[in-house]
Amino acid sequence: MTRYIIRRLLQFIPVILIATLIVYALVFAIPGDPIRALAGDRPMSDAVRETLREQYNLDDPFMVQYAKYVWGIITAADFGTTFNGRPVTDIITQRLPVTATLALVTFIIQGVMGIIAGILAALYRDRFFDRFVQVSTVAMVALPTLVIGFLLQLVFGLNLGLFPIAGANDGIASYVLPALTMASVSTGILARLVRGELLDSLKSDYVRTATAKGMKRSRVIGRHGLRNSLIPAVTFIGADLASMLGGSIVVETIFNLPGLGEQVYRSILGQEGTVVVGVVTLFVIFFVVINLIVDLIYGLLDPRIRYE
């Protein structure tokens, strides 16, 4: 197990480097002078301009800038400094709890609703609930996240007044509508995935054998059918949890949540490339770590899986 973890961690190094290099290149390839954008209409002396360019390594070749950026992260967890002089690490520390809470609430909603709906749809195949799940999940997947967000704000926020439609000042209630929005597509996919996998498991030989031996149906489903059906679901949930961080850019902007996603949106508008690269780099690191955790969970669900 230890050797497997070390090997996977070593494999993550080129993944992180390549991903961050692409992001760094895309962000800093945006036309325009960031120092001029910082000054706006205000006059700026050549001396100040040169000092800022030297401070942010803007006169260095691109690969030298990138190497210095990566070295700062490795040696000092330094994700850079904004053109206003504020460390990106401070911004991440301030906004990360909002995004982490949103991801956690989304994860719970998606996991509970998706798995339960998938199980019930498989157990009551071709009945009303199964058809309802199939139709509703298609609608959830087909509708854009943007539309679902505005729809939830209109119905549950403005008309019914059940939840706040913007901001994070009302505690956990502030995250309900954003989490439902972010979980909508994934819940639909997860429900259909669990339904299909459980139906396949219930037709397998080992399930029929367990049933023929007189084992209770609930035990057959729980121990033999559901356990094997959850392996693809865990893969999907793990990958989706990582991608939630990227999806938070749209959802946090719609609901005006002061998280990392909303900060990325504002930084793109303000040409704060350092913030964009820092936050996206953090998302990439989260993604590879979550995937490692998912791989380790496989062994708990299926003892036949060995880490070699």
Side-chain angles (χ1 to χ4, degrees), residues 86-95:
R86 185 181 182 189
V88 177
T89 307
D90 286 354
I91 298 175
I92 292 175
T93 304
Q94 178 185 357
R95 290 180 171 258

Side-chain angles (χ1 to χ4, degrees), residues 20 179 249:
T20 54
I249 296 175

Side-chain angles (χ1 to χ4, degrees), residues 7-203:
R7 190 168 69 247
R8 289 297 305 271
L9 290 175
L10 292 176
Q11 291 173 352
F12 287 157
I13 293 176
V15 173
I16 294 175
L17 289 176
I18 293 173
T20 54
L21 176 60
I22 293 173
V23 174
Y24 197 89
L26 290 176
V27 170
F28 286 99
I30 297 175
D33 185 354
I35 302 300
R36 178 174 295 178
L38 172 66
D41 296 331
R42 295 169 298 177
M44 178 180 288
S45 66
D46 292 339
V48 174
R49 187 186 302 277
E50 290 303 320
T51 301
L52 289 174
R53 294 190 68 83
E54 182 178 356
Q55 179 181 351
Y56 293 102
N57 306 312
L58 296 178
D59 292 327
D60 291 336
F62 170 76
M63 289 306 297
V64 174
Q65 293 182 37
Y66 175 70
K68 289 181 177 178
Y69 179 75
V70 173
W71 184 250
I73 295 177
I74 295 174
T75 58
D78 179 12
F79 286 85
T81 305
T82 69
F83 291 121
N84 293 321
R86 185 181 182 189
V88 177
T89 307
D90 286 354
I91 298 175
I92 292 175
T93 304
Q94 178 185 357
R95 290 180 171 258
L96 182 59
V98 174
T99 301
T101 304
L102 176 61
L104 178 62
V105 177
T106 303
F107 177 75
I108 293 173
I109 292 175
Q110 168 191 319
V112 173
M113 292 180 60
I115 291 177
I116 292 178
I119 293 172
L120 294 178
L123 296 180
Y124 298 99
R125 184 183 183 184
D126 294 333
R127 296 184 185 178
F128 172 77
F129 186 80
D130 182 29
R131 299 186 189 283
F132 172 76
V133 168
Q134 293 192 56
V135 172
S136 60
T137 52
V138 168
M140 292 165 69
V141 174
L143 285 174
T145 303
L146 198 66
V147 175
I148 294 176
F150 289 144
L151 188 63
L152 292 176
Q153 283 181 321
L154 179 65
V155 176
F156 295 101
L158 294 177
N159 292 340
L160 300 179
L162 296 178
F163 302 103
I165 61 173
N169 298 323
D170 295 292
I172 199 67
S174 305
Y175 296 90
V176 174
L177 294 185
L180 285 172
T181 302
M182 201 152 69
S184 57
V185 175
S186 302
T187 302
I189 297 175
L190 181 62
R192 298 179 73 86
L193 178 64
V194 172
R195 176 186 179 276
E197 292 294 329
L198 184 55
L199 286 175
D200 288 340
S201 296
L202 294 178
K203 296 176 184 176

